Amino acid sequence: MKKTKPVRGSSENPDHIMISFYDDSRYNMAVTWRTCVQAEKGYVEYRTAEGEMLRCEAENHIFDSDIDTSFIHTARLHNLKPGTKYYYTCGDENNRSAEFSFETQAENTGKFTFLALSDFQKGEPHDLPDYSQLGAFIKKILKEHPEIKFILSAGDSTDCGQHEQQWNGLFCGLEGVIESMPFMMALGNHDNRGFEDYKNGIGRYYAEPAEFFCKQFVNAYPDNGADNWKTENYSFDYGDAHFIVFSINGPEETDEWAKTDLKNTAKKWKLGTYHFPVYYSGTDCENDDAYPVMRGSMEMCDIMFSGHEHNFSRSFPIKNEEIFDRPSQGTVHYMLGNGNCNPPGSRTLAKVWHSAFFPQEENVSAYALVEVDGDRITLTEMLDDGRTVDRCVIDKKEDMIYPHALAPRYNRTRMLFKGMDPGLAQVDVPPEKIDGVWFIAAAVLASFIGADVKREKDSVEIELYNHRAVFTLGSDIAQTENGAMKFKSKVFRGKREQLYIPADAFAKAFGMKWCYSERNNFLSFEHSSESHPVPFQP
């Protein structure tokens, strides 16, 4: 059955025009556009201000979406001159675009600035999503900061990327921007999300690989990613920085590819982007999507940019779950906030690993200006109303981060859950290490999390995350919903008469993971669930 051409559907006239890096940004640039199937072939004509007109044929392939069938055309311009402004048009003999321009990277670039954004998706109206506010926002930024060389997105560029209405809305909103400013996108969970019934939001699914993303940008981005996840993963260089874009899919394969990719670069700075924050700020979030699977590669980066939570945070340098002060000691995790007035709701909280934090629960948009200048990177997080959220400088030569901030190193061991400190509840009941085994006042931590806790004379019953366990004084066996669970060390009565339970046994009973940070002296517990435990009220 022939599809009816939708509003914002493809035509013989080129649209969705976008430029991007696909190889050495001094000598190459990709130009991508869309047409209907009647305009089967296309090419780019390009020139310098004084040079002759050159022509580059496009690679063309069918994009069969949920609402339209079109051609995606990408012309990979090569042998360009460094530091040069080019003018171009795209299309075929009968249907050509307006003339646009771009600049190649200068030879021996020592200083440059890029714009980093995340989570600028818009879902309404569902059939004609309105991204005009985003376009106006970015145009304002570029006018105020003409030094910006490209845009880096940390994901969720669309609300439902498996529906072409969303890409049509995004490209419509970004007209006048990405025809002349390279647009380098990371994949977010919304970008590969779809619904069997999009209008009513029924039958949600996630495409792996991200079908619509890959079909549109397969030739726009470098073809150097993990074998089974190309386009979603890629890397590129600009100046003395190597950028690596991590997919949210295929973590094991992505990690192996990324470790090799990062090992082979000689660039001074290694900058990664991955949609889900590893060191998050949400009270209910988790990092199982990335850690520990991709820890090896991500911790080879100086900075990891992320999004997803719609608020801003910057971590101390972190490596192998330990929190440090100097950039040489770990990776700085930088969450970009939301770029299109998408408040996160009241579920954000500063965590032990945060050096800077802003909940962004106001109806504002955020962006980061990142200036790379030799041994220094300056990161400035701004709001659309002109307020500065955070400004820091990472200096490789001095091995310092400014403004100065020191990661906590506790003199009494703490318990943490999802990066949160139970505070007053645990002051007098610190964990204890006996014969190499860590014990915790589990009922105190469980109560803080929101578990249903019943204390008896010599036992404690805990119900949490759909699991139940009863721990008894002097016993190394817990009674669970699945029967008896034996562990290595016996429960004892510790400080404030609390029952102290092996940390490993507590984590196992409730499906958690845990670790001890020796440098910072805390036990950190994590759970993959994002539910909100609340004790039952009869």
Side-chain angles (χ1 to χ4, degrees):
M1 182 176 178
K2 187 177 180 180
K3 295 176 180 176
T4 301
K5 188 63 67 173
V7 178
R8 294 179 178 168
S10 58
S11 72
E12 293 183 347
N13 294 313
D15 65 2
H16 292 196
I17 303 169
M18 179 188 93
I19 64 170
S20 56
F21 305 130
Y22 75 92
D23 203 347
D24 194 320
S25 52
R26 296 170 295 177
Y27 312 116
N28 304 282
M29 189 71 74
V31 181
T32 301
W33 69 97
R34 179 188 72 160
T35 65
C36 66
V37 293
Q38 284 71 37
E40 183 176 351
K41 297 185 182 298
Y43 58 91
V44 165
E45 290 187 334
Y46 62 104
R47 63 179 177 84
T48 61
E50 306 299 331
E52 64 175 317
M53 186 69 73
L54 302 172
R55 174 167 167 158
C56 180
E57 299 293 331
E59 295 184 52
N60 318 289
H61 63 270
I62 289 287
F63 175 35
D64 196 8
S65 79
D66 56 327
I67 59 171
D68 200 358
T69 299
S70 57
F71 264 110
I72 302 297
H73 311 264
T74 301
R76 289 184 160 190
L77 313 186
H78 57 280
N79 294 329
L80 303 177
K81 297 177 182 179
T84 302
K85 187 170 185 177
Y86 282 85
Y87 300 86
Y88 76 93
T89 65
C90 61
D92 60 20
E93 290 80 359
N94 301 314
N95 302 280
R96 298 208 65 74
S97 70
E99 187 174 66
F100 304 105
S101 66
F102 64 82
E103 291 186 18
T104 54
Q105 181 197 162
E107 197 75 71
N108 302 315
T109 295
K111 179 180 178 179
F112 69 92
T113 298
F114 66 93
L115 170 64
L117 295 162
S118 190
D119 296 272
F120 40 80
Q121 70 266 41
K122 282 295 179 185
E124 296 297 333
H126 86 278
D127 55 339
L128 291 172
D130 183 6
Y131 284 79
S132 59
Q133 181 173 280
L134 171 68
F137 174 44
I138 296 179
K139 287 174 184 175
K140 181 175 182 289
I141 296 170
L142 296 177
K143 183 177 180 180
E144 294 174 351
H145 299 279
E147 70 275 16
I148 291 171
K149 299 300 183 184
F150 61 91
I151 300 170
L152 180 71
S153 161
D156 281 2
S157 300
T158 62
D159 190 57
C160 288
Q162 283 295 114
H163 299 285
E164 198 187 354
Q165 293 100 317
Q166 276 289 315
W167 293 106
N168 293 344
L170 176 68
F171 278 109
C172 183
L174 292 182
E175 285 183 7
V177 176
I178 58 175
E179 302 95 334
S180 300
M181 182 65 59
F183 188 37
M184 310 302 290
M185 287 183 283
L187 181 71
N189 59 301
H190 280 256
D191 296 320
N192 68 330
R193 186 176 79 167
F195 290 89
E196 294 177 12
D197 178 350
Y198 177 49
K199 181 177 181 179
N200 296 302
I202 298 171
R204 184 171 66 181
Y205 68 92
Y206 293 91
E208 296 183 20
E211 181 187 8
F212 284 14
F213 183 92
C214 293
K215 284 185 175 180
Q216 293 177 93
F217 310 116
V218 60
N219 294 316
Y221 294 140
D223 185 32
N224 59 2
D227 284 344
N228 295 318
W229 307 97
K230 289 184 181 292
T231 306
E232 298 181 18
N233 289 287
Y234 61 91
S235 64
F236 66 96
D237 294 334
Y238 200 100
D240 207 7
H242 182 71
F243 293 81
I244 183 163
V245 177
F246 289 84
S247 171
I248 60 173
N249 299 318
E252 292 84 0
E253 293 158 290
T254 294
D255 183 61
E256 289 304 313
W257 160 74
K259 284 188 288 190
T260 300
D261 178 270
L262 290 163
K263 183 180 179 180
N264 289 338
T265 182
K267 297 295 185 181
K268 180 174 293 183
W269 293 97
K270 299 178 179 69
L271 308 179
T273 181
Y274 176 75
H275 179 62
F276 297 125
V278 174
Y279 288 94
Y280 51 83
S281 65
T283 53
D284 54 352
C285 289
E286 49 86 15
N287 61 17
D288 275 8
D289 296 290
Y291 267 22
V293 179
M294 292 196 286
R295 177 186 292 158
S297 56
M298 287 185 175
E299 291 188 347
M300 295 171 70
C301 294
D302 298 294
I303 304 172
M304 281 296 304
F305 294 99
S306 66
H308 188 60
E309 292 190 55
H310 295 219
N311 59 82
F312 167 79
S313 65
R314 171 169 57 86
S315 80
F316 294 100
I318 302 174
K319 187 170 185 178
N320 198 26
E321 307 286 5
E322 294 189 311
I323 308 172
F324 296 93
D325 309 319
R326 297 182 179 274
S328 64
Q329 296 173 302
T331 301
V332 173
H333 295 262
Y334 196 97
M335 191 156 58
L336 289 163
N338 79 81
N340 199 7
C341 292
N342 293 317
S346 301
R347 60 184 187 93
T348 58
L349 190 69
K351 304 297 183 78
V352 67
W353 47 67
H354 287 147
S355 176
F357 169 75
F358 175 66
Q360 205 188 339
E361 294 186 17
E362 303 172 51
N363 193 35
V364 291
S365 298
Y367 65 97
L369 293 174
V370 186
E371 180 188 87
V372 181
D373 185 6
D375 291 318
R376 295 163 69 94
I377 281 185
T378 301
L379 301 110
T380 306
E381 181 81 2
M382 299 286 294
L383 299 180
D384 58 2
D385 59 13
R387 287 179 290 167
T388 299
V389 176
D390 179 63
R391 186 176 187 273
C392 80
V393 176
I394 301 175
D395 192 310
K396 271 187 179 285
K397 186 176 181 180
E398 296 184 13
D399 198 20
M400 295 293 293
I401 298 178
Y402 306 100
H404 294 288
L406 297 178
R409 303 181 74 174
Y410 301 118
N411 56 21
R412 298 183 75 185
T413 309
R414 304 284 183 94
M415 295 183 290
L416 302 177
F417 179 71
K418 291 183 182 273
M420 296 178 286
D421 188 330
L424 186 63
Q426 73 158 331
V427 168
D428 296 332
V429 288
E432 294 187 26
K433 190 175 185 180
I434 301 173
D435 296 330
V437 177
W438 279 106
F439 291 81
I440 63 169
V444 172
L445 182 61
S447 296
F448 169 75
I449 296 170
D452 200 345
V453 178
K454 298 177 183 177
R455 291 177 170 88
E456 303 293 345
K457 183 176 184 298
D458 291 321
S459 68
V460 61
E461 178 181 347
I462 300 172
E463 291 190 33
L464 178 63
Y465 290 123
N466 298 317
H467 295 289
R468 171 185 170 275
V470 179
F471 299 92
T472 303
L473 180 66
S475 175
D476 57 2
I477 297 175
Q479 299 300 323
T480 76
E481 76 277 6
N482 295 318
M485 182 189 82
K486 185 173 173 56
F487 41 94
K488 294 181 180 179
S489 303
K490 296 180 179 180
V491 176
F492 69 91
R493 192 179 294 276
K495 291 181 173 60
R496 298 292 297 267
E497 299 300 310
Q498 296 298 305
L499 295 188
Y500 271 59
I501 296 163
D504 190 59
F506 174 74
K508 182 179 179 181
F510 300 104
M512 296 183 181
K513 61 181 181 180
W514 73 284
C515 68
Y516 172 64
S517 171
E518 184 174 2
R519 182 181 192 272
N520 311 101
N521 195 22
F522 59 71
L523 275 70
S524 180
F525 292 83
E526 292 280 341
H527 195 278
S528 60
S529 173
E530 294 189 0
S531 66
H532 306 162
V534 175
F536 174 69
Q537 173 60 60

